[in-house]
Amino acid sequence: MLFDLAYLVMNADGTEHISEKMLVQKLEQRMEREGSVDIDARTDDLAPLLEEGTDAIRERVLDLAEGVAEQAGDRVQELGDGYLDFLKGLIVADASVADEEYDLFEVLCDRWGVEKDLPSA
């Protein structure tokens, strides 16, 4: 779920900045070492959502947020806080925060009951 969230958030504004790509590649390498995620399969699965646009991406992020909350149970704030720290670093890595990124970050914060902010534009 973390990879899917990172990939969708990274692409929510329609661009993949090199600094964002580097952070996601580090995550990919870790997951591939652990054998926890087939990165190529995940990106192939997510590609159609990117083509569908903002609404489809937002809907998938909402579904993922719910899945994280269900799996985390009583630890949703703790787990969500860690996920949001990673996603915040990813979002600000390119030194600009798009409206789509603000929206997705806010949706995740609300669902997981975590108070975090992104820097203002």
Side-chain angles (χ1 to χ4, degrees):
M1 285 188 248
L2 178 57
F3 176 80
D4 285 15
L5 286 168
Y7 190 78
L8 292 171
V9 167
M10 176 178 70
N11 288 288
D13 61 357
T15 62
E16 285 185 3
H17 191 272
I18 188 67
S19 56
E20 293 172 321
K21 286 177 89 169
M22 289 173 58
L23 286 172
V24 171
Q25 285 174 342
K26 285 183 182 182
L27 178 62
E28 288 175 7
Q29 290 167 355
R30 190 181 107 215
M31 291 180 163
E32 286 175 345
R33 275 193 312 272
E34 295 171 353
S36 58
V37 175
D38 180 344
I39 300 301
D40 291 333
R42 295 307 320 132
T43 56
D44 289 348
D45 186 45
L46 296 171
L49 285 173
L50 300 180
E51 292 175 17
E52 290 179 41
T54 305
D55 290 339
I57 293 169
R58 189 176 196 282
E59 188 64 34
R60 183 62 166 269
V61 167
L62 286 168
D63 290 344
L64 290 165
E66 187 62 34
V68 169
E70 287 175 10
Q71 286 190 359
D74 293 340
R75 295 184 51 231
V76 68
Q77 286 182 309
E78 180 184 341
L79 183 63
D81 189 58
Y83 275 26
L84 288 164
D85 281 342
F86 176 80
L87 293 171
K88 182 177 182 176
L90 179 65
I91 290 169
V92 300
D94 64 356
S96 67
V97 181
D99 291 340
E100 298 88 353
E101 294 168 326
Y102 276 114
D103 179 54
L104 295 176
F105 194 81
E106 184 176 298
V107 162
L108 294 170
C109 286
D110 288 346
R111 178 56 191 99
W112 296 335
V114 176
E115 290 188 33
K116 284 198 183 300
D117 292 313
L118 291 171
S120 300

